[in-house]
Each structure stands twice: as structure tokens, then as C-alpha cells.
Amino acid sequence: MEKNTAFAQTRRNLFAAASIVVAALWARGARAHEHEHSQGHGHGWGGGGTHCFLRGTLILTPTGEREISTLEIGDLLVTQSGQVKPIRWIGRHYLRRDVGKPWPADVAPIKVSRSALTDGTPHRDLYLSPGHPLYFDGMLVRIDSLVNGSTILRCADQEMTSLEYFNIELAEHELIFAEGAISGTLVPSGEHPLFDNWSERVTLGRGEPAQPIAPLIIVTDGRLRLRSRLRSALAPFVDRRTDFDKLRDRIEDRAERMNAAA
């Protein structure tokens, strides 16, 4: 690791670690205040359990890319292995919000900017629900674990007053291409009742239990995020980073280069 890159990485991760601590202290105070004054009302969105692509996402098929809302059961998709496989089911989830109110964190789209991952990947801005995983180096990483506020960022204040999310189930858990990025499909026979058309899925039967194609990595808990940042901050001296830490550092190094070149 070059000296300048190592210094930038340490500085960036120490700053992020400090931000996590401050956010945790603020959240603790906010929770205490809420507990003191709350009447027990929740936001009632119920969106955190779905893993989805926003309407408009282009999915790779044998005849080229197609917008996800135009796909139907039985249509063929290109998988990461190169095999072509049919769609078993497509889940849909529709949400609305009041004008002037931000989207809650568990449903606000996350934008993966064009070329945020590698040159040309994704080849357009990709919008995902916070819980949706992308595939990297043998890992499925939930996208909200990689938010950096620059090339991967939350869109809580997005102007849209409605969101429509879609996800795709094949006969087995697979990797497909969304805007050129490798993404996981729904795990067959999983429970996804938050989809509006879940009753349609139930009529298809459960089928054989399926195993996820790769381990799912989720680094959203404050303690996990803090430890990850500290490992990366110390990496130029003692490198004990996990594969996830290295991936996040690589994406954030790239983000800094892209911002500098802009």
C-alpha cells in the first residue's frame, strides 16, 4: 500500500469511527427522550424485510437488458455462471410517503453510482432497497453495509412520493446482472410476506429448500461498523482486516479518486 493511500485510508476510517461513536451517543439520547415522551406510535412502514430493485432497473436477459417491471414469470435471465434460467416468480412492493417527509431508513433507496464498483459497474446508477445484497469475491454484501455518502448513498430525501420495488426468484438461489452489477435473487422457499403479491407466490408451493449461493455479510450494527473501521484504520501498521473491510476500503478509495477527478 502506497504511503499516501495508507494515510488517506487511516484518516478516512478514523473519521468514520468517530462519526459512528457520535451517532451512537446522539441516538442513545434521542431514544431516552422518545421513551420519556412517546405515546407508542410507530411509522408502520414494514419495509425492512424486502430485498429489492427499484422500478427502472435493467436486468440482463439473453436478448439484452430489460426493465424489471416488464419481466414476467417464465422469462429467461442470464446468470453469473453463464447459464440461462427462467423466472419462477416476481415479487412487488409498493410504498407511498407524505410530501415533505423523508423516507424511513429501512425503505429509502440506496443509489450505487455509475462505476462506483469498477469501471463501468454499474453502467448506470443502480437503486436498491437497503437490504438488497450485491455479490463480491465470494460474498453477498447487503448494500446498506457499503454506504459511503459519496458513490453509494441513501436517498431519504428523494423527491418521489412513491416507490415500487421488485425482486426475482428463480428455481434456485442465483446471481444475476442488474445494471451490470452482480446481484443475488430471492432465496427460493424463503418467507417474504412483505411483498404485496405474496399470496400469488404461496400458490406456487414451497418446493425444495434452497441454500444461499454465498454467505450474506451484514455490517450495519454500530459495534460491527466501529470495529471494522478501526481494523482498516490500523491496517497500514497491522493488517487484520476482513474480506469485507478490504472490499469497503477498495470501494471508498475508488470513490475518492472519482471525486478528485470530477
Side-chain angles (χ1 to χ4, degrees):
M1 185 183 298
E2 295 182 3
K3 184 175 180 180
N4 289 342
T5 302
F7 176 75
Q9 177 180 297
T10 295
R11 180 183 57 191
R12 181 180 70 237
N13 281 288
L14 285 175
F15 179 80
S19 298
I20 292 167
V21 172
V22 170
L25 293 173
W26 181 88
R28 181 179 298 177
R31 284 196 299 270
H33 179 79
E34 181 180 352
H35 178 74
E36 182 179 352
H37 298 282
S38 174
Q39 302 272 328
H41 299 296
H43 59 64
W45 287 85
T50 53
H51 303 164
C52 315
F53 307 96
L54 195 62
R55 174 185 278 271
T57 302
L58 298 181
I59 305 296
L60 184 62
T61 77
T63 57
E65 292 183 314
R66 285 179 55 186
E67 198 271 316
I68 193 166
S69 68
T70 69
L71 295 172
E72 298 178 354
I73 293 174
D75 286 346
L76 299 177
L77 300 184
V78 177
T79 65
Q80 192 256 357
S81 67
Q83 294 180 301
V84 173
K85 298 189 177 182
I87 295 173
R88 185 184 187 205
W89 181 68
I90 301 174
R92 302 187 305 273
H93 192 39
Y94 183 81
L95 295 159
R96 291 190 62 85
R97 68 173 172 89
D98 294 332
V99 176
K101 291 185 178 181
W103 290 105
D106 59 352
V107 297
I110 291 180
K111 180 175 80 169
V112 184
S113 302
R114 180 181 180 275
S115 294
L117 308 178
T118 63
D119 289 344
T121 306
H123 49 241
R124 296 195 319 166
D125 291 347
L126 171 63
Y127 291 88
L128 304 169
S129 64
H132 196 89
L134 293 182
Y135 180 80
F136 305 91
D137 306 326
M139 302 178 290
L140 280 166
V141 180
R142 215 170 81 165
I143 194 60
D144 56 356
S145 301
L146 293 171
V147 169
N148 56 35
S150 175
T151 57
I152 302 177
L153 62 159
R154 296 184 187 274
C155 303
D157 296 322
Q158 196 171 95
E159 294 180 358
M160 290 186 295
T161 57
S162 65
L163 298 171
E164 191 169 13
Y165 282 121
F166 297 79
N167 210 341
I168 296 169
E169 179 184 359
L170 307 185
E172 298 175 342
H173 192 217
E174 297 285 354
L175 300 173
I176 59 174
F177 295 89
E179 306 290 4
I182 305 175
S183 168
T185 59
L186 281 173
V187 178
S189 301
E191 294 295 332
H192 305 286
L194 291 177
F195 286 109
D196 300 339
N197 59 332
W198 178 244
S199 59
E200 171 189 294
R201 169 63 180 79
V202 173
T203 64
L204 298 176
R206 297 186 62 86
E208 293 296 325
Q211 294 297 320
I213 202 166
L216 177 63
I217 308 299
I218 305 173
V219 184
T220 55
D221 174 79
R223 292 182 181 181
L224 292 177
R225 292 169 57 221
L226 180 59
R227 291 170 185 166
S228 175
R229 289 294 182 176
L230 292 176
R231 286 193 297 268
S232 289
L234 294 173
F237 313 101
V238 180
D239 195 348
R240 295 180 177 174
R241 291 177 298 169
T242 65
D243 290 340
F244 168 81
D245 300 337
K246 294 175 182 178
L247 168 68
R248 190 206 55 239
D249 288 337
R250 186 166 72 241
I251 290 173
E252 292 186 352
D253 287 343
R254 179 175 182 82
E256 290 190 348
R257 293 194 300 271
M258 290 175 65
N259 292 334

